[in-house]
Amino acid sequence: MAVSEFVSELRNKLSAKARVITDASQKEFQLALLRWSDVNVTIPGAIVQVSNEFDAAITVRTASLHRIPFVPVCGGHSLWSTTGTDGFILDLTNYKSVRVNAAEHQVTVAGGVLMKEFATALANAGECAAVGNGNTIGVIPYCLGGGIGVATGLMGFACDNMRSAKVILADGQLVFADDKHHPDLFWAIKGAGFYFGVVIEITLGTYPLSIFGTPAGQHWIGRFMYPLDRAAEVFDVVKSLITASENRTAGLVMVIAPPPLFKPVIAVVPHYFGDLKEGPKVFQALTNLGPSFSSETTPHVPNLSDHLDFACGKGGLRRFNLTGLREFKVENCLKLTDLFQQLLDVCPDAASSGYFIEWHCPPPPNVVTNSAFSHGDIHIWLHCLSWCQEEEHLNKVFDFEERAINAMRTGTSLESYVDLPHGTRTNPIERRFPNQDTLTRLRSLKKELDPQGVFTQELL
């Protein structure tokens, strides 16, 4: 069946508020197509904007019946949220719901809710959750991929905070999953949810704002900047801070070239969870280095990621990748700074790129882990933001990204390489799911629930 015939049939089944857009020349279509990245974007045959879970289920069921390929879109950050004219985009951005139950310390989020919206709704109720870094990231896909952020050390990974979910399976069946209902599916979507269905709703455990260390949920964040030739000293200090287990901390070490000079620098953004007066003391060693610039702030939870808004808009030749690191090695970090300088020498238009090393203290022992997410023991992550202005430089910039990842893996055995589940679809899947029992269980479940590969061919 052609997409046009599919659309004609589908229109009669959807609710009045749902929309199906097919004319690629229309502004409405073009705006709906916008993604975080313009890399490899293709034009779909249609964009189906659902208004509720039943619209979404009917759309998937009809597409499955006629073998019409599709991709779901929430925040639009995934490089795989694109399809050609023979398929369509299942757009969840107009279906949003956040229901907070502060008395039970849980929240139910549906559809295309984004991080900023989610955190604000929770904070208004005096609660917070294991949310991520980036205001425009979709809450549900973030949780399905594991959910790593600065708050991981306080609340655990986002997937481990999931209490239940509603999932649309490959045949369009809408099912409720938790530890008692479809427990294998519930286990799988916590870390591998992209491969099993459209997760249209999840319920997460929440926490009082005071978990951040103050009654209103504020915590201390520092900002320190150093010239590149101080890299060895800075990395030595950061390593000592990361290994100091007595403090509840998290942070980012960034190799960036900020405007207006676009000159490479080392930036350190540490987080301290506790008495606001203690933050500067815990990170005094960074002050003692004599940074070229320093500041501090104590934001409320909804504003935690506002400083990243510059990188969160739609469009641009860029991609983002996360790689797990077994340890923080100063010698490898120095290679990273050298590579970044080389990148700017070769591609000056790539100054918006950056290599970030994120750390968080280990999650509290009371967080129960029962999920397909396989990297609970990884507390250090390399973020590669590869971003240029000229399309002819794109492959060079991506090549430097691979070189940066390889540099940070120096001294690590091949079998210990770690990839985030939704960060790649080309590297060996064993890096995403290194536990053989986990991988075997996922493959068995994939054959049972999605043997035709409606939700990618991964695991088949």
Side-chain angles (χ1 to χ4, degrees):
M1 174 183 282
V3 172
S4 58
E5 297 174 90
F6 161 77
V7 166
S8 296
E9 179 179 334
L10 182 65
R11 287 186 194 274
N12 298 322
K13 299 178 179 179
L14 297 176
S15 68
K17 291 184 178 180
R19 290 187 57 77
V20 182
I21 315 170
T22 58
D23 187 349
S25 67
Q26 287 186 339
K27 189 69 173 179
E28 184 182 25
F29 186 103
Q30 294 163 8
L31 289 174
L33 187 62
L34 287 176
R35 296 188 317 167
W36 177 78
S37 173
D38 291 330
V39 175
N40 297 330
V41 172
T42 54
I43 306 300
I47 299 175
V48 181
Q49 296 180 324
V50 300
S51 65
N52 55 53
E53 63 186 36
F54 303 108
D55 281 341
I58 289 169
T59 302
V60 173
R61 186 178 306 127
T62 306
S64 177
L65 179 64
H66 299 299
R67 301 290 181 93
I68 305 294
F70 68 93
V71 290
V73 171
C74 183
H77 285 72
S78 170
L79 289 182
W80 299 282
S81 58
T82 188
T83 190
T85 54
D86 61 333
F88 69 94
I89 288 175
L90 177 61
D91 187 349
L92 304 177
T93 57
N94 289 345
Y95 172 43
K96 296 183 179 183
S97 172
V98 180
R99 305 189 303 275
V100 184
N101 185 338
E104 297 293 331
H105 293 298
Q106 64 183 31
V107 58
T108 299
V109 55
V113 176
L114 306 181
M115 284 294 176
K116 181 80 168 186
E117 300 165 330
F118 182 62
T120 300
L122 280 172
N124 289 341
E127 295 287 289
C128 60
V131 296
N133 309 332
N135 288 330
T136 61
I137 294 172
V139 174
I140 291 178
Y142 167 81
C143 294
L144 302 184
I148 301 164
V150 294
T152 298
L154 301 180
M155 311 174 205
F157 296 94
C159 65
D160 291 325
N161 284 271
M162 289 173 60
R163 302 291 180 261
S164 64
K166 288 183 179 179
V167 188
I168 303 171
L169 301 179
D171 61 0
Q173 182 185 180
L174 177 64
V175 301
F176 176 83
D178 63 7
D179 288 332
K180 296 181 180 179
H181 307 85
H182 301 281
D184 285 343
L185 174 63
F186 187 53
W187 168 86
I189 63 172
K190 295 184 292 182
F194 310 98
Y195 311 139
F196 289 94
V198 177
V199 180
I200 200 72
E201 178 182 291
I202 62 173
T203 295
L204 290 165
T206 64
Y207 304 82
L209 286 171
S210 57
I211 195 172
F212 279 92
T214 60
Q218 294 170 277
H219 74 282
W220 183 89
I221 303 177
R223 292 188 176 90
F224 302 86
M225 203 167 292
Y226 309 87
L228 216 58
D229 59 11
R230 302 287 305 282
E233 301 169 80
V234 175
F235 291 143
D236 276 332
V237 168
V238 170
K239 182 175 183 178
S240 68
L241 294 170
I242 291 175
T243 55
S245 59
E246 68 272 15
N247 296 311
R248 297 198 307 169
T249 69
L252 286 168
V253 190
M254 303 185 285
V255 187
I256 55 176
L261 299 178
F262 297 102
K263 182 178 180 180
V265 298
I266 306 293
V268 185
V269 183
H271 296 244
Y272 176 73
F273 308 107
D275 187 333
L276 298 178
K277 296 179 181 179
E278 294 299 312
K281 299 176 185 178
V282 171
F283 294 105
Q284 182 64 41
L286 291 171
T287 300
N288 294 344
L289 285 174
S292 56
F293 169 84
S294 66
S295 67
E296 60 182 72
T297 184
T298 56
H300 290 89
V301 175
N303 305 321
L304 187 58
S305 295
D306 286 358
H307 65 289
L308 298 174
D309 280 351
F310 76 95
C312 289
K314 300 285 188 181
L317 299 172
R318 54 187 176 176
R319 76 178 181 190
F320 190 74
N321 204 343
L322 270 79
T323 303
L325 304 174
R326 297 289 174 182
E327 59 181 304
F328 187 94
K329 297 181 179 181
V330 171
E331 61 273 23
N332 291 354
C333 294
L334 292 174
K335 295 177 184 177
L336 198 68
T337 59
D338 291 341
L339 282 168
F340 188 71
Q341 180 65 72
Q342 293 173 36
L343 167 64
L344 298 195
D345 290 342
V346 174
C347 303
D349 63 309
S352 296
S353 298
Y355 301 142
F356 318 142
I357 304 166
E358 178 180 355
W359 86 86
H360 59 79
C361 54
N366 62 318
V367 175
V368 178
T369 59
N370 180 27
S371 70
F373 184 67
S374 303
H375 305 309
D377 59 333
I378 303 296
H379 310 307
I380 305 172
W381 292 86
L382 172 66
H383 303 236
C384 290
L385 173 60
S386 299
W387 189 355
C388 65
Q389 306 303 316
E390 304 294 334
E391 191 165 5
E392 62 263 29
H393 289 162
L394 201 56
N395 288 335
K396 288 183 181 178
V397 175
F398 289 170
D399 178 64
F400 270 97
E401 175 188 305
E402 292 300 317
R403 292 168 64 185
I405 292 171
N406 290 335
M408 292 300 289
R409 283 172 166 167
T410 301
T412 302
S413 61
L414 189 64
E415 60 271 16
S416 296
Y417 283 7
V418 173
D419 287 330
L420 197 66
H422 61 284
T424 177
R425 290 185 185 173
T426 55
N427 291 343
I429 198 167
E430 288 78 8
R431 296 182 188 176
R432 285 170 269 167
F433 305 102
N435 183 285
Q436 190 57 52
D437 290 341
T438 295
L439 193 53
T440 299
R441 186 177 175 186
L442 286 172
R443 283 174 167 153
S444 175
L445 194 63
K446 178 74 170 180
K447 290 177 182 177
E448 175 188 344
L449 297 178
D450 185 21
Q452 301 301 318
V454 172
F455 302 106
T456 83
Q457 293 292 318
E458 300 291 309
L459 298 169
L460 290 176

